[in-house]
Amino acid sequence: MAFRRRTKSYPLFSQEFVIHNHADIGFCLVLCVLIGLMFEVTAKTAFLFILPQYNISVPTADSETVHYHYGPKDLVTILFYIFITIILHAVVQEYILDKISKRLHLSKVKHSKFNESGQLVVFHFTSVIWCFYVVVTEGYLTNPRSLWEDYPHVHLPFQVKFFYLCQLAYWLHALPELYFQKVRKEEIPRQLQYICLYLVHIAGAYLLNLSRLGLILLLLQYSTEFLFHMARLFYFADENNEKLFSAWAAVFGITRLFILTLAVLAIGFGLARMENQAFDPEKGNFNTLFCRLCVLLLVCAAQAWLMWRFIHSQLRHWREYWNEQSAKRRVPATPRLPARLIKRESGYHENGVVKAENGTSPRTKKLKSP
């Protein structure tokens, strides 16, 4: 199963070999784990890679439900889904983005940004639908108090824990993809910034048992990012199409306001009024004043940094736009040359020959010498 058409063979396990065959290598590893399910001896180990671990039965009024909590074995599951994500990344790149970019004839810089936005559009669209389904089915939207009530939220439903594991796997897979995709050195610091930002926030919500609040904040953030990368794709297809950028600019500020409001409401007011405010890592309780201040400071600092970058980018675009407009006004209009006056000889023209008005030729006749 080859994801890329190769016209040149590389030495085994060389740098170019790994770059051009990393999806095939990941597929072989995933296939080995799936084959392990077929044998009783290796089935238990294979399930450790595929399924979330640390399941417990929680009694309810009608029956028992299975919930999960986190632990060190989650790293094994995340590793497996990192390889799954690498395979899906290669499929999207090979069968969708490469075919579209060939028709657009983009430059190297635009081609790199097009691939980045194309991958993130697919990821954000999938995550928004998945996150919205989880939030609705779990009742977090209809009952906002559930974001802080009954804290710590140690016992997670299957779909909530699996969502967080897949999110961590995707953003962790983005780190080696910087090497596999040969991202330009100028682009690496910018991409590392938002990758690390997502990893810190998602891992923090997962480990501090703030999974419910994290789902709502991710839903808001991913919706805005999906709109931004869609606007970039439309811009690369047609540079005159900038309407989606205006819509994204309006939604961006509103999203920052909603995220800050929810964070302050849930952490600053909701958790502060809870009776259980003791630091107990064994029970998953981090509801102390110091922890709440650290989380709020991290969220507020991240939103302020994103807003500062947004304002700086908008000012730069407006400055470039007004410079272009002023440059067009300063260009002097090219003066029109006066029409050249053609001096015509007296008489009229007939078949290209000038004749006098009385029918005689205007040319002077030569006198014959006697």
Side-chain angles (χ1 to χ4, degrees):
M1 181 178 179
F3 291 104
R4 296 185 180 275
R5 300 179 181 90
R6 292 176 291 274
T7 58
K8 183 180 179 181
S9 59
Y10 300 97
L12 192 63
F13 297 117
S14 64
Q15 181 179 0
E16 293 296 329
F17 178 85
V18 174
I19 290 175
H20 287 80
N21 299 276
H22 67 276
D24 297 329
I25 296 172
F27 179 77
C28 292
L29 295 175
V30 171
L31 191 61
C32 292
V33 175
L34 296 177
I35 292 175
L37 296 174
M38 302 171 60
F39 304 97
E40 186 177 358
V41 179
T42 57
K44 187 176 180 180
T45 305
F47 279 119
L48 182 65
F49 285 88
I50 299 173
L51 296 178
Q53 304 299 310
Y54 305 104
N55 57 321
I56 56 173
S57 297
V58 179
T60 58
D62 300 332
S63 60
E64 291 184 351
T65 57
V66 178
H67 285 70
Y68 297 82
H69 60 91
Y70 62 81
K73 293 181 181 179
D74 290 341
L75 297 175
V76 180
T77 309
I78 291 174
L79 178 63
F80 175 78
Y81 285 99
I82 286 176
F83 290 110
I84 294 289
T85 311
I86 289 175
I87 296 170
L88 295 177
H89 186 114
V91 170
V92 173
Q93 185 68 42
E94 175 71 18
Y95 295 102
I96 299 178
L97 298 180
D98 285 349
K99 292 184 178 180
I100 297 175
S101 61
K102 287 180 181 178
R103 298 181 180 181
L104 297 178
H105 304 289
L106 301 173
S107 62
K108 289 184 178 180
V109 177
K110 289 185 177 180
H111 186 267
S112 176
K113 294 182 178 180
F114 176 83
N115 290 336
E116 177 192 357
S117 293
Q119 293 286 348
L120 289 175
V121 159
V122 175
F123 169 72
H124 288 314
F125 179 73
T126 307
S127 297
V128 165
I129 295 177
W130 189 3
C131 188
F132 182 76
Y133 174 79
V134 173
V135 167
V136 170
T137 54
E138 296 297 331
Y140 301 151
L141 282 180
T142 56
N143 184 18
R145 288 180 174 272
S146 62
L147 299 179
W148 62 82
E149 285 183 345
D150 300 328
Y151 182 85
H153 308 139
V154 179
H155 300 150
L156 305 176
F158 172 81
Q159 58 182 356
V160 174
K161 176 165 183 174
F162 189 63
F163 176 82
Y164 272 96
L165 293 180
C166 291
Q167 292 295 312
L168 291 172
Y170 180 86
W171 291 112
L172 285 173
H173 115 280
L175 295 174
E177 283 294 341
L178 297 176
Y179 170 74
F180 294 143
Q181 297 297 324
K182 295 182 178 180
V183 178
R184 297 167 58 245
K185 292 182 179 180
E186 297 80 4
E187 294 290 326
I188 290 178
R190 180 186 61 83
Q191 295 192 26
L192 279 177
Q193 286 176 356
Y194 72 76
I195 290 172
C196 295
L197 199 63
Y198 276 115
L199 283 174
V200 169
H201 282 75
I202 295 173
Y206 183 65
L207 297 176
L208 297 178
N209 296 314
L210 295 170
S211 56
R212 299 179 184 180
L213 178 62
L215 286 173
I216 303 295
L217 299 185
L218 280 177
L219 179 61
L220 294 172
Q221 177 66 22
Y222 284 167
S223 301
T224 308
E225 290 298 304
F226 170 75
L227 187 61
F228 169 71
H229 290 289
M230 279 296 296
R232 285 180 71 179
L233 292 181
F234 278 104
Y235 174 76
F236 291 139
D238 183 10
E239 293 187 356
N240 296 323
N241 193 346
E242 296 184 357
K243 294 180 180 179
L244 277 179
F245 279 116
S246 302
W248 166 74
V251 173
F252 185 87
I254 298 174
T255 304
R256 305 280 78 76
L257 181 62
F258 270 99
I259 289 176
L260 287 174
T261 304
L262 280 175
V264 173
L265 178 65
I267 300 173
F269 292 96
L271 292 179
R273 296 180 180 180
M274 299 293 294
E275 296 180 357
N276 189 8
Q277 297 191 17
F279 183 76
D280 191 355
E282 295 182 358
K283 295 182 179 179
N285 189 1
F286 301 94
N287 188 14
T288 61
L289 178 61
F290 177 76
C291 292
R292 291 197 303 269
L293 288 177
C294 289
V295 173
L296 280 177
L297 182 62
L298 176 63
V299 174
C300 293
Q303 300 308 310
W305 179 72
L306 290 173
M307 198 66 194
W308 179 82
R309 286 191 58 190
F310 170 77
I311 295 174
H312 180 73
S313 175
Q314 292 298 314
L315 291 176
R316 179 168 54 84
H317 287 307
W318 288 342
R319 194 182 302 113
E320 292 176 355
Y321 173 77
W322 288 113
N323 289 338
E324 291 178 0
Q325 295 298 320
S326 60
K328 290 180 180 178
R329 295 173 184 174
R330 292 175 184 173
V331 175
T334 56
R336 296 184 62 183
L337 297 176
R340 296 181 62 184
L341 297 176
I342 301 175
K343 184 177 181 181
R344 295 182 177 273
E345 299 178 6
S346 60
Y348 67 95
H349 290 74
E350 182 178 340
N351 294 330
V353 179
V354 181
K355 292 189 177 183
E357 294 180 356
N358 56 1
T360 61
S361 175
R363 298 181 180 177
T364 58
K365 295 182 179 181
K366 294 182 180 181
L367 297 175
K368 295 181 180 180
S369 57

